């Protein structure tokens, strides 16, 4: 039995339900695409700004040798 003939014989409320569900799925797909595109644009702008800041920043100063008066503190993993 072809799908179109089966749909013609279906109750109108069932057709309305199928159309509503299809519309909801379509709207969700469109919303996900819009959100994804927005996040990609934000990430590109963030990386471009951080790359520009890194290029504009002077080179990192050389590390000084630790002296005996300075206490070195480190973190240990929790047991």
């Amino acid at each position: 039995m072809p799908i179109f003939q089966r749909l013609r014989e279906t109750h109108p409320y069932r057709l309305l339900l199928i159309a509503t569900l299809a519309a909801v799925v379509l709207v969700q797909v469109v919303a996900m695409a819009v959100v994804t595109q927005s996040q990609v644009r934000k990430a590109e702008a963030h990386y471009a700004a951080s790359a520009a800041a890194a290029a504009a920043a002077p080179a990192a100063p050389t590390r000084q040798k630790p002296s005996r008066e300075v206490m070195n503190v480190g973190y240990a993993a929790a047991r």
Side-chain angles (χ1 to χ4, degrees), residues 1-12 14-15 18:
M1 181 181 286
I3 188 75
F4 294 115
Q5 183 180 357
R6 177 125 176 121
L7 283 176
R8 256 187 264 135
E9 296 171 359
T10 306
H11 196 275
R14 184 172 288 175
L15 288 176
I18 291 171

Side-chain angles (χ1 to χ4, degrees), residues 4-53:
F4 294 115
Q5 183 180 357
R6 177 125 176 121
L7 283 176
R8 256 187 264 135
E9 296 171 359
T10 306
H11 196 275
Y13 286 136
R14 184 172 288 175
L15 288 176
L16 180 63
L17 177 65
I18 291 171
T20 303
L21 291 175
V24 166
V25 169
L26 181 65
V27 167
Q28 286 180 342
V29 168
V30 169
M32 285 181 3
V34 168
V35 168
T36 302
Q37 186 179 15
S38 170
Q39 292 295 320
V40 167
R41 271 192 258 120
K42 285 181 184 178
E44 286 173 346
H46 173 74
Y47 287 128
S50 64

